Amino acid sequence: MEKDLKEYITPPIMLIVVLLAISLMFIFPVLNMIILGAILAYGIRPIAFRIQSKLKFSSISILLAMIIVLIPLILLVAYISFIISGFLVGFFSSNPNLDMDSVISQLSTYIPQNPFLDKNSIVPTIQSAGKSVLTYLVGKLGSFANITLDLFILICSVYYFVKDGDNCYNFIKSFVPKEYNDFFERTVESVEDVLKSIFYGHFLTSVIIGIFGAIGYSLLGYPYGIFLGVITGILQLIPIFGPWPIYWALAIMDAIGGNYPRVIVVLLFGFFLSLIDMYIRPAISSHHADIHPLILLIGFLSGPLVYGIVGFIVGPLILGITYAILDSFRKELQESK
């Protein structure tokens, strides 16, 4: 045993371990951007290669592919911001004498009584929470330099992972002993299946549900029907939510306004959205990896706690990839028996 350890614990190995540990200390603050860059590069590579078959210039093809993928995301964020800002401006302009303290006091009457929160402390508590949120947002604006650095690293990571992804794969594979090549290749295939399952089975499902929602809400006569569809698609990404908060909120608003026929219709439409999710998601995901919903749920909920908003993507992917590697190792052990 001691002889085996001496064969592995050599000065070059120790030097490599120390350097890797030091390097990880430098990389860790931006590790989430690097991981996200690798994930996005996986989806952008096919687009870049297709463009490259026409242009024959790899750098230009990669940049065009990144623009094609990022423009819809930028437009989506811009659209959501535009609608929300327009709504707030219209609301406050139509209510110039609005007393926020009075509004908060009225809202507090609808809050269920809590033995730890009496009537005299409800309003100050809400105001304190609002101030905390505003302080957090101001703090985020103050860290503009860090956000810019993260975005720069993300863009660079996407570019170089798309351009040199094969070289990175071959470099890692060169360290794998020959007797473990099959396990390594099977693990890589499992990881690709997980990525495809999450990309197609969840993001594509959210897009489809969002489109159905936008069409349905618009036909039912709701203002901002497209915006409601976009929010429905975003909520669909989070397993614990789905489309139900939107259609239940609309149903409650219609019930308060006395529009009872539309209450029934929007609830039926909402149940339809929830039901088609049960068919669309398995139909798309079944062609790739079969990931247990609990794994994705934990990833979606715990990811933002570790990596911030990026965790909504990184969390389920890391847990899914970990599951794929463990499953591949389990199959390897079963075959060796």
Side-chain angles (χ1 to χ4, degrees), residues 141-167:
L141 291 176
S143 59
F144 179 76
N146 292 334
I147 296 174
T148 304
L149 177 62
D150 287 343
L151 289 176
F152 178 75
I153 292 175
L154 174 62
I155 293 172
C156 292
S157 298
V158 172
Y159 176 82
Y160 284 109
F161 274 121
V162 172
K163 184 178 181 180
D164 300 321
D166 293 334
N167 294 333

Side-chain angles (χ1 to χ4, degrees), residues 247-319:
Y247 64 78
W248 272 108
L250 294 174
I252 292 172
M253 291 173 60
D254 283 337
I256 295 174
N259 193 349
Y260 299 111
R262 196 164 67 170
V263 172
I264 298 174
V265 175
V266 74
L267 286 178
L268 291 176
F269 176 69
F271 295 150
F272 166 75
L273 290 179
S274 299
L275 286 175
I276 62 173
D277 171 60
M278 298 172 60
Y279 290 97
I280 294 175
R281 193 187 301 271
I284 298 176
S285 299
S286 60
H287 296 288
H288 307 290
D290 184 17
I291 306 174
H292 195 280
L294 180 61
I295 296 175
L296 296 177
L297 177 61
I298 295 174
F300 275 114
L301 296 180
S302 62
L305 298 177
V306 180
Y307 289 115
I309 193 170
V310 179
F312 279 114
I313 300 176
V314 176
L317 281 174
I318 289 179
L319 292 185

Side-chain angles (χ1 to χ4, degrees), residues 32-42 153-154 157-159 161:
N32 56 343
M33 291 293 110
I34 296 175
I35 295 174
L36 183 60
I39 294 168
L40 293 176
Y42 178 80
I153 292 175
L154 174 62
S157 298
V158 172
Y159 176 82
F161 274 121

